[in-house]
Amino acid sequence: MNLRDEIEATLRAWHAYETGRGSVAVIDFDCAPTTAATEQATSRLAVYERLTDLHARATEAGATRLTARLTADLAYLGALLGEHPSLNDYVQATQGCPAAGWQDGYITHRGDQARQALTALGIQWGPDTARDLNAIEGPIETDEAPDAIRQAATDYEQAVRQATGSRAPFNLTIETTEVDAYWAYWLDGAGDKVRLRLNLRRASFTKVAARQFALHEVLGHGLQGASWSAQAAAEDVPWVRLMSVHAPQQVLLEGLAQALPLFIAPMTSYWSPAPASTTTTNYCVPSCT
């Protein structure tokens, strides 16, 4: 077993420990799924000690990609164990960039632009802005949201594939759930299997939101995870094949997902028939969980 595989085995054991006790998952997208049984780690402290040893070995070997990933894992696990680093140090360790805010002038400029855009839609800035914007975006019923997102993903998929060059197939499952968490939409998966969860406590369902999250979650996070999985299956890649939100690749993932609606939407009209897709994407909507 090489160093990368040892790291992945340790992360899988940590993931099994956390999920086994009802805590937050460590792995969000598994680009190298396996049917082999995973033995749970005995404790967070045991995982921390193992990751520390692996980090020392990766540093000695000059494996910078592995070292960066282990630095993020140690920072996140350290926080779970009670460490309290500064925000900048924590973000630098986990995301690979400093926690720098925007300058006041930039915030004011973007705020003015947002208010002008709302005015062009006939919406005034004030306490009712969110409600008025939701009304103009075309509200839909909760039980209609999965099909609306599925249809939007189908409509935009070919344009995204043309822009990114990805041919990786994926199978999408959409579930609804109710959890006390900050997120409204969450995507995870393994290999070519992608799952989108809609948190009914947080999500707001409109036609515009369906298109936005089809592009952001499904064709942003989901297709990229499936594409990385296809690459990992085709060659012996040097990077850790387990994606986590506390790891440095998350900045890249969010950047792409945020940009896709802005670049792809003008290329394809949601209201016009989409070009026939030549991919093997499958969509299904199971019972609510």
Side-chain angles (χ1 to χ4, degrees):
M1 183 181 294
N2 61 33
L3 185 56
R4 183 208 63 189
D5 292 346
E6 289 187 62
I7 294 170
E8 290 181 353
T10 302
L11 295 179
R12 291 185 190 281
W14 177 21
H15 175 85
Y17 172 80
E18 296 292 350
T19 56
R21 62 203 295 266
S23 188
V24 178
V26 172
I27 302 168
D28 292 293
F29 205 101
D30 188 339
C31 295
T34 176
T35 57
T38 298
E39 184 176 351
Q40 291 187 20
T42 57
S43 68
R44 287 176 174 173
L45 182 58
V47 174
Y48 192 90
E49 292 174 344
R50 176 62 174 157
L51 292 175
T52 300
D53 175 65
L54 290 167
H55 186 277
R57 290 169 55 192
T59 301
E60 183 179 359
T64 55
R65 292 181 181 179
L66 300 182
T67 301
R69 173 56 195 261
L70 289 165
T71 296
D73 290 321
L74 284 167
Y76 175 65
L77 181 52
L80 292 179
L81 288 169
E83 292 181 353
H84 296 283
S86 69
L87 176 62
N88 188 73
D89 289 346
Y90 181 78
V91 173
Q92 183 72 60
T94 56
Q95 304 300 291
C97 59
W102 298 108
Q103 296 180 354
D104 291 343
Y106 179 84
I107 296 174
T108 300
H109 172 64
R110 294 305 183 191
D112 290 341
Q113 284 187 317
R115 284 185 284 272
Q116 291 170 8
L118 288 169
T119 299
L121 294 173
I123 299 175
Q124 298 301 311
W125 183 260
D128 297 326
T129 297
R131 182 199 65 188
D132 295 342
L133 183 60
N134 188 73
I136 205 171
E137 287 185 350
I140 58 178
E141 296 297 325
T142 299
D143 58 358
E144 297 175 351
D147 284 338
I149 294 172
R150 250 189 328 135
Q151 185 59 54
T154 299
D155 291 345
Y156 283 112
E157 181 179 350
Q158 194 62 19
V160 172
R161 290 186 181 278
Q162 290 174 351
T164 62
S166 175
R167 297 182 180 180
F170 67 93
N171 297 277
L172 173 67
T173 297
I174 302 178
E175 302 175 359
T176 57
T177 186
E178 291 192 49
V179 295
D180 184 16
Y182 70 91
W183 54 269
Y185 305 78
W186 192 274
L187 187 134
D188 56 18
D192 64 356
K193 295 178 177 59
V194 174
R195 179 179 69 161
L196 174 63
R197 283 182 290 168
L198 313 178
N199 185 3
L200 300 183
R201 291 195 185 186
R202 300 288 185 182
S204 175
F205 301 107
T206 67
K207 293 178 181 178
V208 171
R211 299 197 296 272
Q212 177 185 354
F213 286 98
L215 283 163
H216 182 114
E217 300 287 354
V218 179
L219 299 175
H221 296 319
L223 179 56
Q224 186 164 46
S227 300
W228 287 358
S229 298
Q231 182 187 9
E235 59 181 285
D236 187 23
V237 296
W239 38 271
V240 173
R241 299 167 296 178
L242 307 175
M243 303 299 110
S244 303
V245 294
H246 66 263
Q249 91 288 330
Q250 190 63 21
V251 172
L252 171 65
L253 281 169
E254 288 300 333
L256 173 65
Q258 290 286 359
L260 272 178
L262 303 177
F263 286 94
I264 299 298
M267 298 168 56
T268 306
S269 173
Y270 177 75
W271 306 110
S272 300
S277 175
T278 58
T279 65
T280 56
T281 302
N282 295 312
Y283 301 95
C284 61
V285 182
S287 303
C288 297
T289 58

